[in-house]
Amino acid sequence: MLCAKNKELRIERDKNQNIIIMAPTGTDTGNFNLEIGSEVRNWNKQSKLGYAFDSNTGFTLPDKAILSPDVSWIAKEKYESLSKEDRKRFAHICPDFVIELLSESDNLKDTKTKMEQWVENGCLLGWLIDPIDRVTHIYKPNIQPVQIPFNEILTGDDVLKGFELKLEDVLPYR
């Protein structure tokens, strides 16, 4: 109800039911987000392996949090198993892949905690992209996060089969 009455705000709820109101992104972050999301969309359009979602999509996670990643993807069979009614809301599902893009207004520690929450709820691969330090923190279940610099190629592993992204090519300046 709060979200429906405040559509101009980006509102999330953590697993402890705390409301988180997020500031709109700046133009750099908005551009970066679109560029990265387009790469995922283009790969998905070719592979036809699932469904890609933008930053306005909220998901109700098993721990009852409602979160909205900057980019997300769900395998085709998993998404299509949702009822049509659930798809119209903040679907009760955890994406298989998420990207959180750190913006100037974000706190790295809080965003790392959010990434851990994604994995705890069933996300198989998560990228926390930090355009300021030009590094990506990779999150997977049962593995400590690792950092990959922008000049190295990120891969979708077994989650986004065949997907590769070199952030230095997508986010070339700074």
Side-chain angles (χ1 to χ4, degrees):
M1 191 72 156
L2 177 66
C3 294
K5 290 188 177 189
N6 295 283
K7 292 182 184 201
E8 73 283 0
L9 298 176
R10 193 150 168 224
I11 302 170
E12 294 183 327
R13 183 179 73 203
D14 70 15
K15 64 183 176 183
N16 299 315
Q17 308 303 298
N18 296 309
I19 301 295
I20 303 160
I21 298 175
M22 301 165 65
T25 63
T27 54
D28 272 350
T29 302
N31 175 255
F32 293 168
N33 195 49
L34 180 62
E35 292 296 327
I36 295 164
S38 295
E39 293 290 327
V40 173
R41 179 200 173 272
N42 292 342
W43 166 84
N44 191 62
K45 195 169 175 100
Q46 282 190 318
S47 73
K48 298 180 178 22
L49 293 175
Y51 294 85
F53 302 91
D54 72 3
S55 61
N56 290 311
T57 308
F59 299 96
T60 303
L61 302 179
D63 69 3
K64 305 299 182 219
I66 298 176
L67 300 179
S68 179
D70 292 310
V71 177
S72 55
W73 180 87
I74 300 173
K76 187 174 186 170
E77 304 78 31
K78 183 176 172 181
Y79 183 72
E80 289 177 354
S81 72
L82 290 171
S83 71
K84 288 183 181 182
E85 223 22 68
D86 201 19
R87 290 185 207 176
K88 292 178 185 178
R89 300 180 268 196
F90 301 137
H92 292 79
I93 194 169
C94 183
D96 297 303
F97 172 70
V98 298
I99 296 175
E100 294 286 355
L101 179 62
L102 196 68
S103 68
E104 298 280 342
S105 63
D106 291 331
N107 176 290
L108 180 60
K109 182 179 178 224
D110 291 344
T111 309
K112 285 181 174 182
T113 299
K114 186 176 179 183
M115 293 302 296
E116 291 166 4
Q117 188 172 4
W118 281 116
V119 172
E120 289 167 3
N121 278 278
C123 181
L124 302 173
L125 177 63
W127 295 351
L128 168 52
I129 299 173
D130 181 348
I132 299 156
D133 290 333
R134 300 185 68 76
V135 66
T136 301
H137 304 262
I138 310 295
Y139 288 78
K140 299 177 187 177
N142 306 313
I143 298 175
Q144 287 296 314
V146 296
Q147 293 183 22
I148 305 291
F150 273 28
N151 64 345
E152 292 185 24
I153 295 173
L154 298 170
T155 67
D157 295 337
D158 291 335
V159 182
L160 284 79
K161 291 177 177 68
F163 181 67
E164 293 185 346
L165 180 63
K166 188 173 181 183
L167 287 171
E168 191 172 61
D169 296 339
V170 179
L171 310 176
Y173 60 90
R174 272 252 171 156

